[in-house]
Amino acid sequence: MANEAQPMHVVVFPFLAHGHMIPALDIARLFATRDVKSTIITTPVNAPIFTKAIEHGNRTKDLNINVEIFRFPSQEVGLPEGCENREQVSGWGMSQLFFRATEMLQEQLEQYLEKARPTCLIADTFYPWATESTSSFNIPRLVFHGSGYFPLCAQDNILQYAPFKNISSDDEMCTLTPFPDKVAFLRTQVPKHFWGDEDNAHRKKMELIRKSELESYGVIVNSFYELESEYADFFRKELGRKTWHVGPVSLINRSFEEKALRGKQASIDEYECLAWLDSKKPCSVVYVSFGSITTFIASQLHEIANALENSGQNFIWVVRNVENEDWLPAMFEQRMDGKGLIIRGWAPQILILKHEAVGAFVTHCGWNSTLESISAGVPTVTWPMFADQFYIEKLVTQILKVGVSVGAKKWSMVPSAEHVIKSEAIEKGLMEILKGEMAEQMRHRAKELKEMAYNAVAEGGSSQSELTKLITELRSYHTQSRESS
């Protein structure tokens, strides 16, 4: 038969940032566990993020996952040689150059598609041109956002209806309509290209992405139905998207080795980290981490340090992109010896969150971190910065009710002294999560969501069933396409 002679082959093409590449690998592994050949497209500098995890899965579980290397045109656009990851980019100018370089990957993609003729391409939302590329070869393109239904619905609503155009004050709240719940934002919590000049380049890019998504075969979402069912339905019925939810994809990593190999090499020995946690009482440790891109100025880091010290709680604090030790208050580590653990660099986040000693997570509200905390049953202190993080904060605090906010009000990728969150606000959030009036209720709700997450990816669960439906549909499309050619 045609599908036996030509087995299914799914190609995953993530944006070159850790927050996109890590769940993309999990998605490739999901397909591979269903006997579907999977290939991840990346670049030379980013390849090591995948190779150890892929080799482990192929060896221990007989998976069929491969890596296809594209050359990244750093120097052609004026970036330093070897600058191939969003984490390496700083400032508006470099960011623009980086996105221009990703657009130049289109020719290599089309050459690869013509040669490989995969069943499907799962391409990141930041590659809107991928829809056009796949249509040339009659290959279905699925969009991967790296976000959930709620933030996708909120973003689409703001892009379509521009509700902030009539708001004249930064202090005035604006409610999204039409929308399933009453959700309101300050305009400072939304990127200015959504409510400023209509002709700006950012808005045009977002509209191009939206158009590409509507013309694609559909959207694959790292979420599960029980988490945000109303918004899954809204995204499909009201916004007209064809979608499949297959998450939380991080739960494909069950063994210690799989969790440890996910992402970059940890900056701390995983066993040492877990041994430190083993010495603490249940729910007594605060985990503080703000993702792979977020940066802070020294004065903000001082406020975090003071909040942690004043709270009296045990903590693990992950700090990245710090060039010197001036960001720490004098003698801070000496005073916190045995009380706090600072990890400079990459942390084994899933292993930490799943430890019973962890009782709260201070997070930037990135979607991966949010799902990982939900899957671990850990409530959060929310501190959004940019991207879709302010939308996700509303989901966590208002809809799911498993988090409290530190009160961030400014959407910005560039930290400034003007918008420093004071230690008192941070400490207040910590104490509300751990010992406040609603603390027990939030912990209980978080544990319920954890159980729902595991049920979703189990045999017969909502996400497991969605993946089955997607594979069946792609196999049928693949067979019909071959028969008609």
Side-chain angles (χ1 to χ4, degrees), residues 128-357:
W129 38 265
T131 297
E132 180 185 350
S133 295
T134 51
S135 66
S136 305
F137 304 102
N138 193 25
I139 296 169
R141 183 257 172 125
L142 293 176
V143 178
F144 176 62
H145 284 276
S147 194
Y149 285 114
F150 180 95
L152 290 176
C153 289
Q155 178 174 281
D156 192 277
N157 180 283
I158 294 170
L159 193 62
Q160 273 200 80
Y161 301 107
F164 295 90
K165 286 184 71 70
N166 299 320
I167 300 294
S168 57
S169 168
D170 287 348
D171 298 321
E172 186 179 350
M173 298 293 288
C174 180
T175 301
L176 302 190
T177 56
F179 213 65
D181 289 287
K182 186 178 180 180
V183 177
F185 298 90
L186 298 169
R187 73 178 186 181
T188 55
Q189 295 175 317
V190 176
K192 193 170 183 179
H193 53 269
F194 277 176
W195 55 267
D197 179 9
E198 285 189 11
D199 294 326
N200 68 69
H202 266 307
R203 184 175 179 86
K204 287 180 178 177
K205 181 163 187 150
M206 295 305 299
E207 288 171 343
L208 180 64
I209 287 172
R210 185 173 184 273
K211 180 176 180 289
S212 168
E213 178 183 299
L214 287 166
E215 293 173 352
S216 73
Y217 190 76
V219 182
I220 189 167
V221 182
N222 179 19
S223 187
F224 57 103
Y225 188 73
E226 295 79 5
L227 182 71
E228 40 181 357
S229 56
E230 202 167 2
Y231 292 91
D233 294 340
F234 189 83
F235 195 63
R236 287 167 169 158
K237 296 172 184 176
E238 303 301 324
L239 302 185
R241 305 299 200 276
K242 188 176 183 180
T243 73
W244 298 266
H245 45 266
V246 298
V249 297
S250 62
L251 292 183
I252 190 73
N253 303 280
R254 295 300 178 98
S255 71
F256 176 89
E257 290 78 11
E258 287 170 338
K259 294 169 187 173
L261 290 172
R262 192 170 182 261
K264 291 169 67 175
Q265 177 69 42
S267 304
I268 187 173
D269 180 85
E270 290 89 350
Y271 291 100
E272 177 189 338
C273 184
L274 294 181
W276 187 90
L277 284 167
D278 286 342
S279 69
K280 308 302 178 186
K281 294 178 180 179
C283 297
S284 69
V285 176
V286 176
Y287 176 58
V288 185
S289 179
F290 298 96
S292 57
I293 295 178
T294 301
T295 57
F296 285 120
I297 56 176
S299 58
Q300 182 63 85
L301 293 168
H302 269 254
E303 296 292 337
I304 296 172
N306 289 334
L308 291 171
E309 183 170 5
N310 294 338
S311 74
Q313 301 300 308
N314 299 306
F315 64 87
I316 294 179
W317 183 10
V318 183
V319 184
R320 299 191 181 99
N321 307 315
V322 175
E323 295 179 357
N324 55 59
E325 294 299 306
D326 292 345
W327 57 275
L328 275 176
M331 304 298 290
F332 177 78
E333 286 190 274
Q334 288 84 346
R335 291 195 304 275
M336 296 296 102
D337 185 34
K339 193 83 175 174
L341 181 64
I342 296 177
I343 300 176
R344 293 164 170 81
W346 195 265
Q349 182 159 294
I350 292 182
L351 290 171
I352 292 171
L353 285 172
K354 289 186 179 297
H355 198 285
E356 67 173 1

